[in-house]
Amino acid sequence: MNTIRYKLAVAITVSALLALILTYIIINFNINRQYSIYIRANQESRDERIVGEFRDAYVSNGKTGWTVDSGTSVIREASISGFSVKLEDRMGKVIWQLEPELVLAQLTTRQPEGSPPLNLEQFKFTRHPVLVDGDTVGYVTIGQFTPLLISKNEEQFLFSLTLSVLASAIIGSLLIFLFSFFLSNQLSEPISSIASTSFMLSQGNFKTRENLKTDIVEIEQLRQSINVLGEKMDQQDTLRRRLISDISHELRNPLNVLQMNLEAMIDGVVPISPDRLSSLNNEVIRFGKLLGNLNVLKEFEAESNTHQYKEVNLRSLCQDIYNNFLGVAKEKNIHLSFEFYRRDRYYIIGDYHSLYQVVINLLHNAMKFTPENGRIFLTLKKDATFTYLDIRDNGVGIPSEDLPYIFERFYRVDRSREEVEGSGIGLTIVKRIMDNHKAMIHVTSKVGKGTTFTLKFRNAPPPISEEANRKTNGQPS
């Protein structure tokens, strides 16, 4: 297996090399093409110039023709540049010429050793008419070796240019190779570090965090996600340890009481009496309630409830619970109030008995943690989409560090563990029921000021008759 740094470096280097090779081919092709166009244009310009010189010589000779001295300068240029020239009159009679054989011999002497031999078949001849006052007075035939005649200096120039492009490509490849290792290191180092952190988390080191920051958005998001995952795993590990401790604490007391009393009775230290047996039976009942709560929680977590949800009047449900708790509130000297807007309909879709249990649990908790002369408020309100139920008290409150965990099973605030009786799964059941109803529960609290639980339900659709009335009255449905 190869590292990500190696693969990135290879991928970047290969991509860059392919790009450089393609660039070299395109540049080299374009240079030769443009140079060929340039040479062809020069040769055409040269041919026009030569024809023009013979035309001028014809005119300067009184338009009577040419002499053997006409075009002496052209012969000198042709000898140097390596092309043949033949001058003919209008009847096709040769006046003078620089034979192609002579030019071929001169070109052969200039060829480097080992070059292929030249022959006349490789010559190309172009015949141009000489026009004076619109009449053809003669012809100039120019012959050159290959369609584009390139001098030795021109060949050296092209070779130097091509070599420069090739050298640039090689140097560029080396620079890209070095840059690819630097870039791949910038990418691979944070990823490798994140992989190492993930491995540490998988080994149970939930305190491990990834601190190597990067300016790459995706990798930085991955780093933050790994850290959030580590925090969640650390929290879950803490909750798991606390769960074991809480279960042990909740089950140990009744078992210890039973064991000590039974051993004392067996040893004859404590006499067997109806009162003693009744006390032990109460511990057995308490133990049974704890197991019963575990079974209830198991049913909710397994989603074994198959309730048929239907329309529920939340106002009527809360009114029944309010009436049932008035006696308990009066006994504890707590003021309990129920507030709602009488003209509103508070209908939602759900299971009546499950929602009843939610409100009972929350109100029961409010009663437990609200001191005498305290106040508890049940408040119903709604908007166009949702119905809200607030259960607010001015009791002892919940510390902010405990708020994220209050819905975890068996979680109880340490300060309240011994002061108030409870199994620690009431709020867990509440959360499961709300999740099953696709509803939301939110809690705010301040120590010494009280706690507010807010339940948020989607409104049930209005009755058909009411909806029809709204449409008739021109109101939005």
Side-chain angles (χ1 to χ4, degrees):
M1 296 179 64
N2 295 319
T3 63
I4 187 172
R5 179 180 181 181
Y6 172 80
K7 287 197 171 184
L8 281 172
V10 170
I12 295 172
T13 302
V14 170
S15 300
L17 285 176
L18 290 177
L20 286 173
I21 292 173
L22 181 61
T23 303
Y24 170 75
I25 293 174
I26 293 174
I27 291 177
N28 197 48
F29 171 78
N30 195 49
I31 288 175
N32 283 279
R33 178 174 173 271
Q34 292 298 324
Y35 195 76
S36 297
I37 294 174
Y38 165 76
I39 293 297
R40 183 180 291 110
N42 281 348
Q43 290 178 353
E44 290 176 353
S45 176
R46 179 205 62 192
D47 292 352
E48 291 178 0
R49 178 174 52 79
I50 291 174
V51 171
E53 288 183 10
F54 283 112
R55 181 173 52 250
D56 294 342
Y58 182 85
V59 172
S60 64
N61 199 32
K63 299 182 181 180
T64 58
W66 292 280
T67 66
V68 292
D69 296 327
S70 300
T72 304
S73 60
V74 173
I75 294 176
R76 188 164 47 251
E77 178 185 354
S79 299
I80 295 173
S81 299
F83 60 90
S84 66
V85 181
K86 179 172 65 175
L87 176 63
E88 301 172 284
D89 61 14
R90 70 178 64 192
M91 303 302 297
K93 179 181 177 181
V94 178
I95 298 174
W96 67 262
Q97 69 173 338
L98 176 63
E99 293 81 358
E101 291 82 2
L102 180 59
V103 174
L104 181 62
Q106 293 175 348
L107 290 175
T108 302
T109 59
R110 300 177 192 172
Q111 286 287 98
E113 294 185 10
S115 299
L118 304 177
N119 54 69
L120 287 178
E121 294 178 356
Q122 296 172 309
F123 255 66
K124 179 182 179 182
F125 298 93
T126 306
R127 195 180 192 204
H128 305 278
V130 181
L131 301 176
V132 177
D133 298 331
D135 295 330
T136 301
V137 296
Y139 299 93
V140 176
T141 302
I142 301 174
Q144 59 189 24
F145 181 73
T146 70
L148 298 177
L149 185 62
I150 301 177
S151 67
K152 190 173 186 63
N153 291 334
E154 293 168 341
E155 288 180 355
Q156 290 178 349
F157 171 75
L158 283 178
F159 176 76
S160 299
L161 192 60
T162 303
L163 190 62
S164 299
V165 173
L166 181 60
S168 300
I170 294 174
I171 294 173
S173 300
L174 293 175
L175 293 176
I176 290 175
F177 180 75
L178 296 175
F179 175 74
S180 67
F181 269 95
F182 171 77
L183 180 61
S184 62
N185 183 64
Q186 296 295 310
L187 293 173
S188 64
E189 186 177 359
I191 295 176
S192 299
S193 182
I194 290 173
S196 177
T197 301
S198 301
F199 178 76
M200 296 294 289
L201 290 174
S202 69
Q203 296 299 308
N205 299 319
F206 302 131
K207 298 293 184 183
T208 305
R209 297 293 180 269
E210 178 54 54
N211 298 318
L212 183 60
K213 295 184 178 181
T214 177
D215 57 356
I216 302 174
V217 176
E218 292 79 2
I219 298 180
E220 179 63 17
Q221 290 176 345
L222 177 61
R223 184 189 72 85
Q224 295 176 1
S225 299
I226 287 293
N227 286 341
V228 171
L229 176 63
E231 292 174 1
K232 295 292 185 183
M233 294 176 70
D234 189 29
Q235 293 172 1
Q236 290 300 317
D237 184 62
T238 301
L239 291 174
R240 178 182 62 82
R241 296 175 186 274
R242 178 170 287 183
L243 172 62
I244 295 174
S245 175
D246 288 345
I247 292 178
S248 174
H249 177 86
E250 297 294 341
L251 299 182
R252 185 189 305 115
N253 287 342
L255 288 176
N256 285 343
V257 171
L258 287 173
Q259 182 182 4
M260 288 187 297
N261 280 274
L262 290 174
E263 287 178 352
M265 291 179 184
I266 292 172
D267 294 338
V269 177
V270 175
I272 301 176
S273 65
D275 291 340
R276 184 69 63 181
L277 293 176
S278 177
S279 175
L280 294 179
N281 185 55
N282 289 336
E283 292 297 329
V284 173
I285 293 173
R286 182 184 170 209
F287 188 77
K289 287 182 178 179
L290 291 174
L291 295 179
N293 287 335
L294 288 174
N295 287 331
V296 170
L297 182 59
K298 179 182 177 182
E299 290 179 2
F300 279 103
E301 290 186 337
E303 298 182 351
S304 59
N305 298 313
T306 56
H307 300 297
Q308 296 295 323
Y309 291 167
K310 56 184 180 181
E311 193 174 73
V312 175
N313 185 343
L314 197 58
R315 171 184 165 183
S316 175
L317 181 149
C318 291
Q319 186 69 59
D320 290 343
I321 296 175
Y322 169 75
N323 293 335
N324 293 338
F325 269 81
L326 278 177
V328 179
K330 185 176 181 180
E331 183 179 330
K332 294 189 64 175
N333 198 21
I334 294 175
H335 175 76
L336 176 64
S337 64
F338 179 35
E339 302 171 354
F340 57 89
Y341 185 57
R342 294 184 178 277
R343 298 185 62 180
D344 279 341
R345 298 176 70 257
Y346 299 98
Y347 284 88
I348 62 174
I349 300 300
D351 177 70
Y352 182 90
H353 297 288
S354 297
L355 296 174
Y356 195 95
Q357 185 176 4
V358 167
V359 181
I360 283 284
N361 284 354
L362 294 176
L363 194 55
H364 182 65
N365 280 349
M367 287 287 182
K368 286 195 299 183
F369 295 102
T370 301
E372 288 189 8
N373 300 318
R375 301 177 67 88
I376 299 176
F377 303 90
L378 271 72
T379 305
L380 269 176
K381 51 190 176 182
K382 65 176 296 186
D383 55 28
T385 307
F386 297 100
T387 294
Y388 305 87
L389 172 61
D390 290 341
I391 301 175
R392 177 168 57 90
D393 64 63
N394 61 349
V396 298
I398 304 172
S400 58
E401 63 269 17
D402 291 309
L403 281 177
Y405 313 111
I406 61 174
F407 294 111
E408 298 292 338
R409 63 183 72 130
F410 293 104
Y411 186 89
R412 299 177 65 191
V413 180
D414 290 338
R415 294 193 307 119
S416 68
R417 180 185 299 280
E418 301 297 341
E419 299 174 5
V420 181
E421 181 183 359
S423 61
I425 66 170
L427 290 180
T428 304
I429 292 175
V430 167
K431 186 67 168 62
R432 296 293 188 274
I433 294 175
M434 294 295 289
D435 289 344
N436 289 341
H437 282 74
K438 293 181 173 57
M440 290 182 285
I441 181 170
H442 178 69
V443 57
T444 57
S445 185
K446 190 172 182 180
V447 175
K449 299 294 184 180
T451 302
T452 300
F453 283 90
T454 300
L455 310 181
K456 181 179 178 182
F457 303 92
R458 184 171 291 276
N459 294 334
I464 298 179
S465 58
E466 182 176 339
E467 188 173 2
N469 289 335
R470 286 181 178 179
K471 291 181 179 179
T472 303
N473 296 330
Q475 298 177 1
S477 57

